[in-house]
Amino acid sequence: MLNFLKKNAALIWAKKHVQKAEEFKKNAEKNQEELLFSLLNTAKKTLFGRTYDFENIKSVKDFQEKVPVADYEDLKPYIEKVKRGQKDILWIETPEYFAKTSGTTSGSKYIPISKEGMPFQVKGAQSALFHYIAKKNNADFVGGKMIFLQGSPELEEVFGVKTGRLSGIVAHHIPNYLQKNRLPSWETNMMEDWEAKVDKIVEETEKENMTLISGIPPWLIMYFEKLIEKNGKKIKQIFPNLQLIVTGGVNYEPYREKMEELLGGKVDIVQTFPASEGFFAFQDDYTKEGLLLLTNHGIFYEFIPLEQYGKPNAQRLTLKDIELNKDYALILTTNSGLWAYSIGDVVRFIDKNPHRILVSGRTKHFTSAFGEHVIAFEVEEAIKATVEKFPAQITEFHLAPEVNPEEGLPYHEWFIEFEKEPENLDVFKNELDDQLRKRNTYYDDLISGNILQKLHISKLQKNAFQEYAKSEGKLGGQNKIPRLANDRKIADLLKIYKNKTP
């Protein structure tokens, strides 16, 4: 009876929520401009606001002329002041939290989350679930157990500001009505050793009525493989009532086939786009590609055409200026005190009514040793098309340039961990090369002009990427291995996992 009431209540809340959401979808461009001036007005007395003369910003153009695009290194002097307990630096008062993330050039990054910003992190996830419930007219999963594969919720204090991984911070804000259904136990969630943690999660969940599972695809796969190894059954046999997987952090499509095989039955997937800097988008229409951009969640967005990113006088576009099917570097101004902040993600709009995006790559993750500027979206689409034509299952891959081969022309080297190899690897390789040439004209020119030879595939042993991540201290949590590089740093470390079999 209790479950029946919970399901009915969820359906009512969800439908009201989705109906209300139609307003922000229709008025996104107007609301975005209003939001910017609200943020500027709130922060005009802060150190940053006084430095960049917020008082005299009267238009979006003024804002773009006065406030430069910044990355973490640019904002770090301000963040260091905040870390020392100083108030009114980037945002009013001090942050409620620091989300601690791993940076490649800056060491650990401390991303401020204000008391105004934190609720939107939770609301983004709630809205994704409400849209699913309303669109599918199905709230059955609320009666079962739910698991969130996440980092430790243990928080430290930095001058009175609670600090930890975003997923660990969010664990403290899960609504009370979900707490009784939530797994794993608090003690297990606190474990830092990822392999031991997943083993314990398997132990705690394998006999439960799991109906919702959330996490980034690589770690969902690791959890599912351990369950299958222990039980000798597919996931839908172990959890017959599993209805929903909520995932984010990376593009789901390259993992779809592997996930479907492990699941062994139909499970709905909801894709999301969260980060320490904010909750940006989620899948709201399950008949279409793309994620709904959340334009009313405390974030003002700008977009720099990818080909201009990093150049002086690069265009900074707003929602009203964007074009479909074009790649843009994502720039954020947030109600936690990030101003014209380059998060490093690349997005592509596929719809304007409402505004829907694909996450097409990272500004720093590309391969362009020869001027080709191949991005994640292109390689993921190329590999998807190749697998459809010549069936194979790919666990993970990494692409790097080989500039100085022992013989012959330079080439792209693909390090691929196959779950199931294609019937003919040479045919597969040639098709993959052709598919990439179709998607990147610069790469096509380099091949046809005999500047590059066709790509090479280096097969990796099973669990190669897990072992590599473990060796680098990046196993678990929100850690992701870049799929593209412009150098051989990762490639040289992956060499030791090459498949030795003929």
Side-chain angles (χ1 to χ4, degrees):
M1 182 63 180
L2 181 60
N3 281 344
F4 175 78
L5 292 172
K6 283 174 72 174
K7 291 174 192 175
N8 276 337
L11 279 166
I12 292 167
W13 291 340
K15 288 176 179 177
K16 284 182 178 177
H17 176 87
V18 171
Q19 191 174 15
K20 190 176 179 183
E22 291 303 312
E23 183 182 343
F24 92 77
K25 294 178 186 178
K26 291 174 184 173
N27 298 298
E29 293 176 10
K30 177 173 175 280
N31 291 347
Q32 275 280 284
E33 193 161 325
E34 290 173 352
L35 172 62
L36 174 62
F37 290 107
S38 172
L39 297 174
L40 291 166
N41 186 58
T42 302
K44 64 187 178 183
K45 301 294 186 186
T46 64
L47 176 60
F48 194 92
R50 287 181 280 114
T51 301
Y52 289 96
D53 194 20
F54 283 7
E55 287 269 17
N56 290 309
I57 293 177
K58 306 301 181 187
S59 67
V60 173
K61 186 180 178 185
D62 285 349
F63 173 73
Q64 293 173 337
E65 288 176 352
K66 287 178 180 288
V67 181
V69 172
D71 60 16
Y72 187 82
E73 284 298 308
D74 296 318
L75 293 185
K76 192 173 181 180
Y78 294 94
I79 291 172
E80 288 300 316
K81 291 178 188 296
V82 180
K83 283 172 63 181
R84 291 195 293 270
Q86 295 182 33
K87 294 184 177 182
D88 301 322
I89 302 299
L90 285 164
W91 190 250
I92 53 173
E93 297 297 323
T94 54
E96 187 171 11
Y97 296 101
F98 282 123
K100 190 176 180 181
T101 70
S102 299
T104 53
T105 58
S106 309
S108 293
K109 296 182 181 180
Y110 292 80
I111 305 298
I113 304 176
S114 68
K115 68 178 185 295
E116 293 86 1
M118 190 62 221
F120 286 117
Q121 287 280 5
V122 179
K123 286 177 182 177
Q126 287 177 330
S127 191
L129 291 179
F130 280 150
H131 273 75
Y132 171 81
I133 291 169
K135 295 288 179 75
K136 294 280 188 175
N137 198 35
N138 174 23
D140 288 351
F141 70 87
V142 302
K145 296 290 186 181
M146 307 175 194
I147 184 173
F148 304 89
L149 292 173
Q150 57 192 194
S152 170
E154 185 173 13
L155 304 178
E156 59 180 336
E157 287 207 356
V158 175
F159 278 95
V161 179
K162 293 176 181 176
T163 302
R165 302 292 179 184
L166 175 67
S167 59
I169 292 170
V170 171
H172 292 267
H173 291 265
I174 291 175
N176 288 334
Y177 64 87
L178 290 180
Q179 288 288 7
K180 289 182 180 177
N181 297 54
R182 183 171 170 266
L183 289 170
S185 65
W186 192 263
E187 293 72 25
T188 296
N189 244 351
M190 296 278 275
M191 294 172 66
E192 291 290 349
D193 184 308
W194 187 253
E195 285 185 294
K197 182 173 181 172
V198 175
D199 286 337
K200 189 67 177 172
I201 292 171
V202 167
E203 182 184 317
E204 289 185 9
T205 58
E206 62 184 335
K207 304 298 183 187
E208 296 288 347
N209 177 31
M210 302 303 302
T211 54
L212 182 151
I213 297 174
S214 176
I216 70 171
W219 312 123
L220 289 173
I221 287 171
M222 184 178 179
Y223 168 55
F224 289 161
E225 286 181 333
K226 284 180 177 285
L227 278 165
I228 290 168
E229 183 181 356
K230 187 172 180 184
N231 290 273
K233 300 174 183 176
K234 299 286 189 181
I235 297 303
K236 276 293 282 184
Q237 292 175 294
I238 300 170
F239 304 136
N241 296 321
L242 178 62
Q243 294 182 14
L244 183 60
I245 289 174
V246 180
T247 186
V250 295
N251 182 8
Y252 180 74
E253 288 307 316
Y255 299 95
R256 185 179 292 277
E257 187 176 358
K258 173 73 172 177
M259 289 282 285
E260 287 176 353
E261 187 209 348
L262 295 173
L263 289 167
K266 179 168 171 44
V267 178
D268 289 331
I269 309 292
V270 173
Q271 299 179 55
T272 65
F273 182 16
S276 299
E277 295 82 357
F279 198 112
F280 310 128
F282 62 78
Q283 188 177 4
D284 72 316
D285 188 328
Y286 314 103
T287 65
K288 297 178 181 178
E289 271 194 310
L291 309 179
L292 175 70
L293 187 67
L294 297 175
T295 54
N296 66 336
H297 274 223
I299 300 170
F300 173 74
Y301 299 99
E302 295 176 85
F303 310 92
I304 296 178
L306 187 57
E307 68 274 11
Q308 297 182 29
Y309 181 75
K311 295 179 181 178
N313 303 316
Q315 286 180 293
R316 289 165 62 177
L317 308 178
T318 58
L319 273 186
K320 68 179 188 297
D321 308 310
I322 55 94
E323 299 174 31
L324 298 182
N325 302 310
K326 187 176 174 70
D327 293 304
Y328 296 101
L330 182 62
I331 310 299
L332 312 171
T333 290
T334 77
N335 61 358
S336 289
L338 299 176
W339 300 98
Y341 184 81
S342 175
I343 190 176
D345 284 302
V346 178
V347 300
R348 176 179 297 189
F349 283 86
I350 58 170
D351 202 345
K352 291 186 183 183
N353 186 29
H355 293 87
R356 288 198 180 90
I357 59 171
L358 297 173
V359 183
S360 53
R362 297 276 296 167
T363 56
K364 292 182 180 179
H365 296 169
F366 57 85
T367 301
S368 194
F370 314 98
E372 64 276 37
H373 209 92
V374 172
I375 63 171
F377 186 79
E378 292 165 342
V379 299
E380 289 168 353
E381 288 293 296
I383 211 160
K384 179 182 174 184
T386 304
V387 166
E388 285 174 358
K389 194 167 181 180
F390 299 105
Q393 277 191 12
I394 293 171
T395 301
E396 191 54 276
F397 67 88
H398 176 78
L399 166 59
E402 178 51 87
V403 179
N404 297 303
E406 290 183 7
E407 58 181 62
L409 295 171
Y411 54 86
H412 284 181
E413 185 171 11
W414 291 62
F415 293 83
I416 302 180
E417 181 185 331
F418 287 101
E419 178 70 20
K420 288 182 184 174
E421 288 186 30
E423 194 171 299
N424 186 314
L425 190 61
D426 284 333
V427 171
F428 184 91
K429 178 188 75 172
N430 289 333
E431 180 66 23
L432 181 57
D433 199 78
D434 288 344
Q435 291 291 345
L436 187 55
R437 291 175 71 176
K438 288 178 185 176
R439 288 162 174 79
N440 187 298
T441 56
Y442 303 109
Y443 180 69
D444 182 49
D445 289 343
L446 290 166
I447 298 290
S448 59
N450 290 318
I451 307 299
L452 297 182
Q453 59 176 299
K454 287 189 172 185
L455 66 85
H456 290 205
I457 291 178
S458 293
K459 295 187 296 181
L460 300 185
Q461 302 163 10
K462 185 173 174 58
N463 297 325
F465 281 90
Q466 282 187 25
E467 292 299 320
Y468 163 75
K470 186 178 177 182
S471 72
E472 293 292 297
K474 294 183 177 180
L475 185 64
Q478 299 300 304
N479 292 308
K480 304 176 282 285
I481 297 170
R483 286 187 158 161
L484 292 105
N486 209 31
D487 55 41
R488 301 279 303 177
K489 290 176 184 175
I490 295 174
D492 288 342
L493 293 169
L494 288 172
K495 278 182 185 177
I496 65 171
Y497 303 107
K498 278 191 180 183
N499 198 327
K500 303 296 194 299
T501 56

